Amino acid sequence: MSSTLITNIGQLVTNDPDLGTLTNAALIYTDGKISWAGAKSSAPSADERIDADGGSVIPGFVDSHTHAIFAGDRLNDFLARMNGTKYASGGIKTTVEATRAASDESLRNHLENVVTEFIEHGITTFEIKSGYGLDVETESRLLRLAKEFTEETTFLGAHVIPSEFANDRRGYIDLVKGSMLEAAAPFAKWIDVFCDNGAFTRDEAKEILTAGVAKGLRGRLHGNQLGDTGGIELAVEMKLASVDHCTYATDSQLDLLAASGTVATLLPGAEFSTRSPYPDASRFFEKGVKVAIATDFNPGSSYIASMPFVISIAVRDMYFTPEQALRAATLGGAQALGRSDIGHLGIGARADIVLLEAPSFEYLAYRPGSQLVKQVLVGNL
Ligand code: NIG
Ligand code: FE
């Protein structure tokens, strides 16, 4: 047994219960799990000691939506958008071409750098989707490599229809449900579909998700990013863990989400990077919808690895309060991944802990672009 005391915490956020804020606090973790939290004056002793120096301490961020495994970049798409071009799903094919051509070693090295960046920005759990392979061999290769870095891997063979199937939609859907799913399943925990304009319809998404669930995968969905094509209704109908983007969500769709257990994962970096209109998160909270935020890290629509930056966009442009944004980036992400051991610092939680160079967590929104993450502790490392 080995225990560590973090003391001199100016503000501790445990998310248990509610935001669970304590001032002048201390926290102890034992063998990778939280074992005590309270006033620093009454803290028991422990084997090791970390001094937070009056800074704040929060749960590690849970990034429930990334497309972190790919090769190449899409700088030209970004430059064109900044020049007035609208974002569309077609750019994904450029990344598919580069990714298919990349070796395992270069994909692994790139992903290792991305993961280092995630951790430097306080992300202690991250999901990774495939979706830039779109053939049997590359999709399973991407998932096999992603699984070296996280247990939260997602099969997204249904990202877009690849060029070689441009005239055979049916053929591609059958491939995804058949041999591609077969090859991907051993390396994937989740299955996702991009249900939107320029990608897959609601009926196609249902067919593909149903096949994935029958294979033992759990479902999640990209929905309502570029338009309203029925993704939210499908996610609720299929009791999916999360429906992601929700940029276009009507009041009645928010009522459906609130009544279901499905989390709405908002992706502020996507609207920011594609210069698209932001959804107003206060509508989601007023309706009682469970909300997460995630980076959506990908080269096309959100080349952003910083959860603090995402929090600052969520607060400034999407009308989250700082509390709502912090909870959405921690507990919300955990709910979107169906996890209860992360996203909070209650007794027994995994000791995924972020020490901030800031007197309170609100500084994450208040000081965009500054590196406030001072130290990151990951319980399972
Ligand atoms: O979440 N929406 C679909 N997939 C990604 C974008 C991928 C890309 O443009 O490369 C997203 O925004
Ligand atoms: Fe995405």
Side-chain angles (χ1 to χ4, degrees):
M1 286 246 295
S2 149
S3 59
T4 303
L5 165 71
I6 308 176
T7 189
N8 266 324
I9 303 175
Q11 182 194 57
L12 172 65
V13 175
T14 63
N15 280 343
D16 178 44
D18 303 318
L19 201 59
T21 310
L22 295 169
T23 47
N24 297 321
L27 183 71
I28 298 179
Y29 60 94
T30 305
D31 294 341
K33 291 204 163 78
I34 305 297
S35 52
W36 187 91
K40 82 173 181 198
S41 53
S42 54
S45 59
D47 304 325
E48 316 265 339
R49 186 176 185 278
I50 295 173
D51 191 335
D53 207 15
S56 45
V57 168
I58 60 173
F61 298 123
V62 179
D63 193 350
S64 62
H65 184 137
T66 89
H67 305 251
I69 184 155
F70 60 85
D73 68 30
R74 302 252 289 285
L75 174 65
N76 290 338
D77 287 7
F78 173 76
L79 295 176
R81 278 201 305 278
M82 294 306 104
N83 215 10
T85 306
K86 198 168 182 269
Y87 174 78
S89 60
I92 292 170
K93 290 177 189 159
T94 313
T95 305
V96 169
E97 221 173 283
T99 305
R100 285 178 178 173
S103 66
D104 279 13
E105 200 198 348
S106 71
L107 287 166
R108 186 184 287 113
N109 288 343
H110 181 252
L111 183 52
E112 202 166 285
N113 291 337
V114 172
V115 166
T116 302
E117 246 195 296
F118 284 162
I119 295 172
E120 280 169 3
H121 289 96
I123 296 169
T124 49
T125 302
F126 44 85
E127 178 260 18
I128 301 178
K129 299 176 202 301
S130 64
Y132 293 120
L134 309 187
D135 62 32
V136 174
E137 191 248 320
T138 317
E139 282 294 305
S140 69
R141 196 156 72 87
L142 296 180
L143 288 163
R144 174 172 51 77
L145 292 166
K147 206 167 168 11
E148 294 176 14
F149 295 84
T150 183
E151 64 191 274
E152 303 295 345
T153 52
T154 303
F155 171 45
L156 181 60
H159 201 180
V160 287
I161 304 273
S163 307
E164 64 275 19
F165 281 88
N167 298 317
D168 185 12
R169 238 185 133 72
R170 185 68 247 166
Y172 187 66
I173 292 165
D174 287 341
L175 180 72
V176 171
K177 288 169 55 188
S179 49
M180 197 184 287
L181 173 62
E182 191 71 35
F187 309 109
K189 176 168 175 183
W190 300 93
I191 180 163
D192 190 349
V193 176
F194 185 13
C195 175
D196 221 313
N197 294 328
F200 294 85
T201 66
R202 174 184 170 159
D203 287 349
E204 291 166 349
K206 184 172 178 180
E207 189 182 337
I208 294 161
L209 289 170
T210 303
V213 170
K215 198 85 195 147
L217 305 186
R218 297 174 65 186
R220 45 201 317 108
L221 190 68
H222 279 71
N224 300 56
Q225 174 187 11
L226 306 174
D228 183 357
T229 62
I232 292 177
E233 287 84 350
L234 177 62
V236 169
E237 177 195 329
M238 295 190 73
K239 299 188 173 33
L240 304 183
S242 179
V243 53
D244 301 21
H245 284 283
C246 298
T247 310
Y248 295 91
T250 62
D251 283 349
S252 57
Q253 287 166 343
L254 296 185
D255 286 332
L256 283 178
L257 280 171
S260 73
T262 300
V263 175
T265 300
L266 304 185
L267 302 167
E271 276 81 38
F272 176 86
S273 306
T274 60
R275 203 178 263 155
S276 301
Y278 291 102
D280 178 348
S282 66
R283 292 177 54 231
F284 290 66
F285 287 106
E286 275 158 24
K287 293 280 191 185
V289 177
K290 281 190 206 157
V291 175
I293 52 176
T295 62
D296 196 14
F297 182 88
N298 77 78
S301 65
S302 182
Y303 209 178
I304 296 174
S306 165
M307 191 68 91
F309 185 64
V310 168
I311 288 174
S312 69
I313 308 170
V315 171
R316 203 199 91 93
D317 292 311
M318 289 168 65
Y319 302 98
F320 283 77
T321 65
E323 290 86 346
Q324 288 166 343
L326 184 77
R327 277 175 70 87
T330 51
L331 206 60
Q335 287 171 337
L337 292 174
R339 299 273 301 264
S340 57
D341 58 327
I342 53 175
H344 65 96
L345 299 175
I347 304 301
R350 206 168 80 172
D352 292 351
I353 302 166
V354 173
L355 283 76
L356 298 177
E357 186 78 61
S360 84
F361 74 88
E362 286 107 330
Y363 272 64
L364 291 168
Y366 176 44
R367 302 209 55 212
S370 288
Q371 174 53 300
L372 301 180
V373 173
K374 190 166 74 174
Q375 193 176 349
V376 180
L377 305 161
V378 185
N380 68 344
L381 291 185

